[in-house]
């Protein structure tokens, strides 16, 4: 998760530096696309939410609409979701 987090943050910084107002990331970018069996583990979802929180805390979404891909567990069902966030 740490490597993915750093790459996502770097992508946000680069997008801002180039004057972008919207940043679109790939599917499941926070956990890594090939996490397969990890979708059965609760900590995969917790780590994604932790990564998203850290992106907010480090200013990734300041003045940039970010579209992050991550799994979400809701009502006992696993979803492949898009999270849109701007200005924390």
């Amino acid at each position: 998760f740490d490597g993915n987090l750093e790459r996502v943050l770097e992508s946000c910084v680069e997008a801002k530096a180039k004057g972008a107002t919207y940043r679109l990331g790939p599917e499941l970018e926070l956990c890594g696309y090939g996490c397969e069996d990890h979708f059965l583990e609760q900590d995969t979802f917790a780590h994604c939410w932790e990564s998203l929180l850290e992106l907010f805390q480090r200013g990734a979404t300041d003045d940039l609409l970010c579209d992050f891909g991550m799994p979400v567990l809701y009502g006992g069902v696993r979803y492949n979701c898009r999270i849109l966030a701007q200005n924390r």
Side-chain angles (χ1 to χ4, degrees):
F1 284 90
D2 292 338
N4 290 342
L5 173 66
E6 292 304 319
R7 284 185 288 278
V8 171
L9 182 61
E10 183 179 322
S11 171
C12 293
V13 169
E14 183 178 340
K16 288 182 202 182
K18 292 183 177 183
T21 57
Y22 174 71
R23 181 246 177 226
L24 171 64
E27 179 181 23
L28 300 174
E29 70 179 326
L30 294 185
C31 63
Y33 188 75
C35 70
E36 294 182 25
D37 292 339
H38 295 291
F39 279 114
L40 302 177
E41 300 172 10
Q42 295 284 45
D43 65 335
T44 297
F45 300 94
H47 289 310
C48 284
W49 286 111
E50 290 166 0
S51 294
L52 186 62
L53 177 61
E54 187 164 344
L55 288 167
F56 294 158
Q57 291 171 338
R58 293 173 68 179
T61 64
D62 291 354
D63 300 320
L64 182 68
L65 176 58
C66 294
D67 185 338
F68 303 115
M70 65 178 258
V72 172
L73 182 64
Y74 179 76
V77 180
R78 293 159 176 83
Y79 295 96
N80 180 352
C81 291
R82 307 300 308 171
I83 306 294
L84 280 79
Q86 183 174 16
N87 294 326
R88 302 177 197 217

